[in-house]
Amino acid sequence: HHSFFRIYTGQMQYLDSFRKRDAGSLTTAVGKSAKYVVTAVAAWFVLFSDSWIPTYYVLGGVLNASMGKLLKSILKQPRPNGSPKKGYGLPSSHSLSISYFAAVISAYLFKHCHSVLLSSLFSSALWIYAYFACSWRITSKLHDVFQTLVGVILGVSFGLCLFSLETVAYPFVGTFLSSPRENQVALIVRSVVTIVGAGVIFSKEFKALQRKEMKTNNH
């Protein structure tokens, strides 16, 4: 009986460690890919969708990300101890952006999609993805729980605010953001939004690349 108990306990410990390792790998994979996945999907909709709605929300996403960077420079709260990155951490920019898009997409689906089941399933999957992406910011010590939660709250709040203003905004921006196939101005505006958005989202990567090139040229 004791031998059986030891074998059983050992197997349970092995399975538990496997589940934790697997969950950690999933969180890391989602967390590291979130910025690129969200940017690629947003750019595709901006450049190829006939509707003005995606561009409106992506433009809002750019404003949302800019707001996060501004708050970081004002609040100047450092990242947690042992963080692999330097700089400020409040609010978490990743949590801010992914929560913003999760909020606006979910709200849009429940308003316009005729199937409540499909809206619920897609929104649930989206928020699970957002949960893993935000969790990785904490487990990797890039942000603490408070910084991440503030990012989530601000992102959701800003997203729902823009969603409530969607009808009001159309007379002002809907014409300029109409189908790029029919309106050259819309194509130019969408292209500018895509370029500026990528610049804001990947500003740290661009600065790091510039510093690397400067060091190479100096040597």
Side-chain angles (χ1 to χ4, degrees):
H1 293 291
H2 291 294
S3 298
F4 175 79
F5 180 74
R6 283 197 297 270
I7 293 172
Y8 175 79
T9 304
Q11 289 296 321
M12 289 300 100
Q13 290 175 345
Y14 172 76
L15 290 174
D16 186 56
S17 65
F18 179 80
R19 282 194 295 267
K20 289 180 179 178
R21 185 169 63 251
D22 191 53
S25 300
L26 178 61
T27 302
T28 301
V30 172
K32 287 186 175 182
S33 66
K35 178 188 288 189
Y36 304 96
V37 171
V38 172
T39 303
V41 173
W44 189 89
F45 275 106
V46 167
L47 294 174
F48 299 106
S49 174
D50 287 334
S51 172
W52 69 284
I53 296 294
T55 309
Y56 169 73
Y57 284 118
V58 170
L59 184 58
V62 174
L63 295 175
N64 181 61
S66 301
M67 176 186 68
K69 293 181 182 296
L70 178 62
L71 286 174
K72 276 186 178 179
S73 64
I74 294 174
L75 299 174
K76 296 183 178 180
Q77 185 182 98
R79 295 178 185 271
N81 294 330
S83 176
K85 281 189 176 182
K86 297 180 180 179
Y88 304 121
L90 181 66
S92 165
S93 300
H94 282 69
S95 302
L96 186 76
S97 294
I98 198 166
S99 298
Y100 164 83
F101 280 109
V104 296
I105 293 173
S106 297
Y108 184 85
L109 283 174
F110 279 107
K111 181 180 179 180
H112 296 285
C113 183
H114 298 296
S115 173
V116 177
L117 177 61
L118 287 178
S119 298
S120 300
L121 289 174
F122 192 86
S123 295
S124 298
L126 189 61
W127 280 107
I128 291 172
Y129 182 87
Y131 168 78
F132 279 109
C134 293
S135 296
W136 179 71
R137 308 302 293 178
I138 300 172
T139 57
S140 61
K141 294 184 178 181
L142 292 167
H143 298 281
D144 58 30
V145 175
F146 177 71
Q147 294 170 348
T148 304
L149 284 177
V150 170
V152 171
I153 292 170
L154 289 177
V156 171
S157 300
F158 191 71
L160 294 180
C161 180
L162 280 188
F163 177 76
S164 66
L165 295 173
E166 180 185 303
T167 305
V168 179
Y170 179 76
F172 301 98
V173 298
T175 304
F176 298 102
L177 302 180
S178 59
S179 174
R181 300 175 186 176
E182 303 172 0
N183 190 337
Q184 293 298 318
V185 175
L187 178 60
I188 295 173
V189 172
R190 287 173 181 236
S191 300
V192 171
V193 169
T194 303
I195 294 171
V196 172
V200 172
I201 298 298
F202 293 98
S203 59
K204 289 183 180 179
E205 285 79 1
F206 289 139
K207 288 179 181 178
L209 184 61
Q210 288 177 345
R211 287 195 295 268
K212 185 176 180 180
E213 289 181 352
M214 289 177 64
K215 288 182 180 179
T216 304
N217 293 333
N218 291 333
H219 289 298

